Amino acid sequence: MASGHFFCAIFYFACLCSASLANNPKVNFREKEKKILDQILGAGKYDARIRPSGINGTDGPAVVRINLFVRSIMTISDIKMEYSVQLTFREQWLDERLKFDDIGGRLKYLTLTEANRVWMPDLFFSNEKEGHFHNIIMPNVYIRIFPYGSVLYSIRISLTLACPMNLKLYPLDRQVCSLRMASYGWTTADLVFLWKEGDPVQVVKNLHLPRFTLEKFLTDYCNSKTNTGEYSCLKVDLLFKREFSYYLIQIYIPCCMLVIVSWVSFWLDQGAVPARVSLGVTTLLTMATQTSGINASLPPVSYTKAIDVWTGVCLTFVFGALLEFALVNYASRSADRAADMHRENMKKKRREMEQASLDAASDLLDTDSNATFAMKPLVRHPGDPLALEKLRQCEVHMQAPKRPNCCRSWLSKFPTRQCSRSKRIDVISRITFPLVFALFNLVYWSTYLFREEEED
């Protein structure tokens, strides 16, 4: 009797175990995913050519929400007016035809790698010049289908985008480069793009650019109307500030040094013609080479840039220093010719005076021999040099006294004779050129920095 009860208990326990195993079999979720994909994407069940319904299953436009992750910005070209960016592009929309059973929350989403299996928005980048996908090691793209029919499309792409630039304040400028995304074929009656709520654009934290700084970015809408209808459009405006330290070291300081070096000519002797000519020509050619190198790195625009004003004025100062030496040399040669003429006149007057003395002596001899006296009139002869000199001295002393002047007293150290006129030009240039260049710097920096603040 006891043995019979024992066998019954064992049999009852075995039945419970078998029932438990039957109720909790091991689930193969990968197999479930395959069955669900075949079920929702099978032939005759889903047509990728038909767009999804609108919100709440209405006949309104399908809503696609966009967000971006900027991975890197490679180059920003001033010559081509373009920039290159690598980003992760994501778009999400609701397609109720793709709903499936999530097996009690165990199946979070389905993953696809073939975009042609489901309907895709016909988005394109309107200001794109070049672009390519990334296929190393596998194509960097995935599609996730969630149980309630939401579809998430993510892909990594590299783009070269057009960026029209205004270079009037170059290199003290800021540039706004846009990224525009629009629908190619679906109008706003069928498809609408919206930015994802929250944080639609993210930028990598350690973003480094060689000559720019990304100050901020703004998201906006840019719907466009054409003859075929209105199309939805999104845009991101990236505000770049140009780093000025590079241009200060490479352009502004070297140009200042060349201008200052050209002023050394004012301190050299006016007779050092080879030294002054070599210095002036060398600085002029160096400045011209610097200007051509700057222009080679910029597009040929029709307006004047800030850097053009700077290099043009610096080139003018260097050229002016060379012209100043030409003027000094001309004044020096004029002084030499005047000195030669003065010397010849003095010799001529001396010969006339000697001849007059000889004539007077001969008259005296004639008087003694004839025993008669000839009275000479005490009048000034027109050609008498001594009388002319005394008259000039009298005219100088009869001039009215003038009020003292600092500049005039400083210039009086260099008389107005022809021999010292060239020296006076050098002395005036030593003061005038630095003062005018300092005034130009004051006007230049105050003007362009003020205009930069106005644009901000």
Side-chain angles (χ1 to χ4, degrees):
M1 185 68 180
S3 60
H5 288 292
F6 178 73
F7 283 112
C8 288
I10 293 176
F11 179 76
Y12 180 72
F13 181 73
C15 290
L16 290 176
C17 291
S18 61
S20 177
L21 292 174
N23 292 331
N24 298 302
K26 186 176 180 181
V27 180
N28 188 346
F29 289 100
R30 306 290 78 78
E31 186 66 24
K32 287 289 184 180
E33 289 182 13
K34 178 182 180 302
K35 290 181 179 180
I36 292 173
L37 288 174
D38 292 339
Q39 179 182 357
I40 62 177
L41 299 176
K45 296 183 179 180
Y46 184 87
D47 193 344
R49 298 173 299 177
I50 308 301
R51 72 169 179 86
S53 301
I55 300 175
N56 297 327
T58 62
D59 195 32
V63 177
V64 179
R65 298 191 178 274
I66 307 294
N67 70 93
L68 305 173
F69 176 66
V70 179
R71 293 181 173 272
S72 63
I73 299 176
M74 280 76 76
T75 57
I76 301 176
S77 175
D78 297 318
I79 299 178
K80 298 181 179 180
M81 290 196 177
E82 64 184 20
Y83 72 105
S84 300
V85 61
Q86 182 186 126
L87 52 87
T88 298
F89 172 76
R90 308 185 190 97
E91 51 187 359
Q92 192 168 5
W93 66 94
L94 181 63
D95 193 344
E96 295 182 351
R97 297 172 295 174
L98 299 177
K99 289 182 178 180
F100 63 90
D101 183 14
D102 59 354
I103 314 177
R106 296 182 181 181
L107 195 59
K108 294 182 179 180
Y109 53 80
L110 304 176
T111 302
L112 292 177
T113 56
E114 300 175 358
N116 58 357
R117 296 289 300 275
V118 297
W119 176 87
M120 293 289 299
D122 60 344
L123 181 142
F124 76 105
F125 297 94
S126 59
N127 60 332
E128 171 204 354
K129 288 187 175 181
E130 295 179 0
H132 67 271
F133 301 111
H134 293 266
N135 298 316
I136 305 297
I137 298 179
M138 292 293 293
N140 298 166
V141 57
Y142 68 80
I143 300 174
R144 290 178 181 175
I145 303 175
F146 294 89
Y148 52 90
S150 178
V151 182
L152 173 63
Y153 175 74
S154 178
I155 187 170
R156 186 165 73 99
I157 53 179
S158 291
L159 301 171
T160 300
L161 304 166
C163 178
M165 298 182 182
N166 186 354
L167 300 174
K168 289 184 179 180
L169 298 181
Y170 177 91
L172 301 167
D173 58 334
R174 284 178 169 84
Q175 300 298 336
V176 178
C177 295
S178 299
L179 173 64
R180 295 174 176 265
M181 301 161 285
S183 174
Y184 189 80
W186 298 97
T187 63
T188 52
D190 297 312
L191 179 63
V192 173
F193 291 122
L194 298 177
W195 286 112
K196 183 180 179 181
E197 297 178 357
D199 193 10
V201 178
Q202 304 93 37
V203 179
V204 66
K205 293 182 179 180
N206 56 346
L207 179 64
H208 295 290
L209 299 173
R211 289 185 294 175
F212 288 89
T213 300
L214 179 61
E215 287 193 331
K216 60 182 178 180
F217 52 88
L218 303 173
T219 57
D220 200 358
Y221 296 89
C222 54
N223 292 5
S224 60
K225 292 183 179 180
T226 65
N227 293 333
T228 57
E230 182 180 0
Y231 297 90
S232 183
C233 175
L234 303 178
K235 72 172 182 177
V236 184
D237 290 332
L238 304 173
L239 179 60
F240 296 102
K241 180 182 179 182
R242 197 181 299 272
E243 288 291 342
F244 180 69
S245 57
Y246 168 80
Y247 300 93
L248 180 65
I249 297 173
Q250 297 294 327
I251 296 177
Y252 284 91
I253 293 179
C255 289
C256 282
M257 294 173 65
L258 285 174
V259 173
I260 295 173
V261 167
S262 67
W263 298 341
V264 176
S265 174
F266 306 151
W267 299 88
L268 297 179
D269 186 74
Q270 58 188 8
V273 176
R276 297 187 69 162
V277 170
S278 301
L279 182 62
V281 173
T282 302
T283 53
L284 183 62
L285 293 178
T286 307
M287 191 66 215
T289 304
Q290 180 86 350
T291 303
S292 62
I294 295 169
N295 293 330
S297 62
L298 293 173
V301 294
S302 59
Y303 48 83
T304 303
K305 304 179 289 293
I307 194 66
D308 294 335
V309 176
W310 175 264
T311 54
V313 173
C314 290
L315 189 62
T316 303
F317 270 92
V318 175
F319 184 67
L322 186 59
L323 290 183
E324 188 272 347
F325 169 67
L327 181 62
V328 168
N329 190 29
Y330 174 77
S332 178
R333 287 186 287 109
S334 299
D336 293 340
R337 287 196 299 268
D340 293 339
M341 293 178 61
H342 180 70
R343 196 177 300 110
E344 291 295 331
N345 291 333
M346 292 299 295
K347 289 181 180 179
K348 184 177 179 181
K349 291 177 181 180
R350 192 177 297 111
R351 286 195 299 268
E352 291 177 354
M353 291 176 62
E354 291 176 355
Q355 185 65 32
S357 300
L358 292 175
D359 293 341
S362 61
D363 291 342
L364 289 175
L365 291 176
D366 293 340
T367 302
D368 293 338
S369 61
N370 297 328
T372 59
F373 295 94
M375 298 298 294
K376 300 286 185 181
L378 297 176
V379 295
R380 177 176 59 87
H381 295 284
D384 191 355
L386 296 176
L388 288 174
E389 184 66 24
K390 292 180 179 179
L391 181 60
R392 189 179 296 110
Q393 292 178 0
C394 294
E395 290 176 353
V396 171
H397 288 293
M398 291 173 64
Q399 290 181 354
K402 297 182 179 180
R403 299 176 60 184
N405 191 313
C406 297
C407 297
R408 189 171 298 169
S409 60
W410 176 71
L411 291 175
S412 63
K413 299 178 181 178
F414 307 95
T416 57
R417 298 194 309 271
Q418 291 286 341
C419 60
S420 61
R421 187 174 298 172
S422 58
K423 184 65 175 177
R424 168 176 284 197
I425 295 174
D426 273 342
V427 173
I428 295 175
S429 300
R430 294 173 190 174
I431 306 300
T432 305
F433 273 72
L435 286 179
V436 176
F437 189 67
L439 180 62
F440 161 71
N441 273 270
L442 179 62
V443 175
Y444 179 86
W445 295 112
S446 60
T447 300
Y448 283 102
L449 291 178
F450 181 71
R451 288 180 60 183
E452 182 185 11
E453 292 177 358
E454 280 187 346
E455 290 196 353
D456 292 343

